[in-house]
Amino acid sequence: MEDETGIIDVVAVAVRKARKGLGLSQEDLALEAGLDRTYVSQVERGTRNCTIIVLARLAKALKTTPDRLLVPQKRTRGQA
């Protein structure tokens, strides 16, 4: 199991990758999930530890499931 910071980073990478895969902006994702764009930005940067409820809302907006956002993703070129 990832340590606490590690799992936040896993979610950050997964959300960003899924959002970009759907061609959504952070604003689009935020509107679809009922969140503020700055909140989505913080999740994607790994500076926000989102709740299970928010994870579920993000997953629904990204047309996936919460558990898929908890699976470590391969980082692509250009990701920190």
Side-chain angles (χ1 to χ4, degrees), residues 1-11 69-73 75:
M1 180 69 184
E2 299 284 328
D3 64 25
E4 290 174 8
T5 303
I7 196 65
I8 292 170
D9 290 339
V10 166
V11 170
L69 298 177
L70 297 171
V71 176
Q73 306 283 312
R75 290 183 183 260

Side-chain angles (χ1 to χ4, degrees), residues 19-76:
R19 176 181 62 77
K20 288 185 174 187
L22 292 174
L24 298 174
S25 67
Q26 287 181 343
E27 182 72 24
D28 294 334
L29 176 56
L31 288 171
E32 189 67 30
L35 302 169
D36 191 84
R37 188 212 48 87
T38 58
Y39 191 99
V40 171
S41 175
Q42 291 169 346
V43 169
E44 288 189 3
R45 286 184 287 123
T47 60
R48 171 70 66 161
N49 182 5
C50 64
T51 65
I52 294 170
I53 299 298
V54 169
L55 186 69
R57 289 166 59 184
L58 287 168
K60 183 176 180 182
L62 291 167
K63 299 175 180 29
T64 190
T65 58
D67 61 306
R68 304 267 307 197
L69 298 177
L70 297 171
V71 176
Q73 306 283 312
K74 284 188 175 180
R75 290 183 183 260
T76 59

